[in-house]
Amino acid sequence: MLNVGIFLSIIATIAAIILSIFAFWLHQQTKTEKLLNQFRKTRTYALTIQTFGSKENGEAWLKKPHQALNGRPPLVVAQTESGREEVEKVLIAINFGNNF
C-alpha cells in the first residue's frame, strides 16, 4: 500500500510539471502574438510612409486627427488590429486619390 505522504508528493510533482508546461506554452503564445503585432504595425507604418512619400510626412499624418477616423489620430486608432485595418483602409483610399 502506498504511503499517503508519497502519494501527495507524486501528485504535487505532476501538478508542478503540468503548470510548468502550461506556463511555457502561454509564454510562447504571447511571444508569437507580440511578433505578429509588431509585423502588423510595421506593415501599417510602411504603407503610411509609402503613401506620403517620406518618413516625416507619414509620421506627421499619423499624429494628426483624421475625419475618416472619427477625429482620432491614426497612431491612436492603430493600437488594435481592427484599428490598424481602419487606418490601412484610409491609406489605401488616399493612395487611390480619395483625400477625405
Side-chain angles (χ1 to χ4, degrees):
M1 185 153 164
L2 192 60
N3 183 325
V4 173
I6 293 173
F7 177 74
L8 291 176
S9 177
I10 292 170
I11 295 297
T13 302
I14 292 171
I17 291 170
I18 290 170
L19 285 174
S20 294
I21 291 169
F22 177 72
F24 176 76
W25 174 82
L26 188 59
H27 173 75
Q28 290 302 107
Q29 292 299 108
T30 303
K31 188 175 166 183
T32 301
E33 282 303 311
K34 284 181 183 176
L35 289 173
L36 283 172
N37 208 20
Q38 288 174 340
F39 170 77
R40 290 178 188 124
K41 286 179 183 177
T42 302
R43 181 187 69 207
T44 304
Y45 183 75
L47 182 57
T48 304
I49 303 308
Q50 175 189 344
T51 300
F52 293 98
S54 73
K55 180 179 171 184
E56 293 76 20
N57 291 342
E59 288 180 357
W61 182 82
L62 284 170
K63 295 173 186 174
K64 220 165 65 172
H66 199 283
Q67 67 184 29
L69 301 170
N70 296 322
R72 297 172 295 163
L75 193 58
V76 171
V77 175
Q79 296 304 308
T80 64
E81 178 62 26
S82 61
R84 277 189 294 282
E85 289 173 4
E86 278 186 69
V87 171
E88 288 179 8
K89 287 177 186 175
V90 172
L91 289 167
I92 291 167
I94 291 169
N95 274 319
F96 283 99
N98 186 346
N99 292 322
F100 287 96

